[in-house]
Amino acid sequence: MEQPQHQLTTQTSSPERFSFWSYFTGQAMVQTILTNFIATYLMLNGIPLEHIALSMFAVKLWDIVNDTFFRRRF
């Protein structure tokens, strides 16, 4: 007996998915550029790289905790 094939349907159109993709790609690029500029500035001002890395890790860790517990529910 042959299995019925189901066609994958989406709730968004292709232009809408591209819009989301381009937004989040741009957001990631801006965050990466700003993080690199901040790290370079701090290193040039004599702050050890270990302290910079630890502070950036702490910020990312706080973001994970914050997003997990305090996210908005629509």
Side-chain angles (χ1 to χ4, degrees):
M1 185 178 272
E2 190 174 318
Q3 296 286 338
Q5 293 182 347
H6 299 285
Q7 187 173 351
L8 180 63
T9 59
T10 58
Q11 295 180 355
T12 58
S13 64
S14 182
E16 188 176 9
R17 286 190 302 274
F18 178 74
S19 175
F20 281 115
W21 176 83
S22 62
Y23 170 76
F24 288 115
T25 300
Q27 181 183 17
M29 288 170 48
V30 168
Q31 289 174 348
T32 301
I33 290 169
L34 287 175
T35 300
N36 287 331
F37 276 128
I38 290 171
T40 302
Y41 174 77
L42 293 174
M43 283 189 297
L44 290 174
N45 283 310
I47 298 176
L49 186 58
E50 296 84 16
H51 295 170
I52 297 169
L54 184 62
S55 65
M56 289 185 175
F57 178 73
V59 169
K60 289 288 187 180
L61 190 62
W62 171 249
D63 186 45
I64 292 169
V65 171
N66 190 14
D67 287 346
T68 302
F69 290 114
F70 302 111
R71 65 179 172 205
R72 291 184 185 177
R73 295 173 195 245
F74 295 103

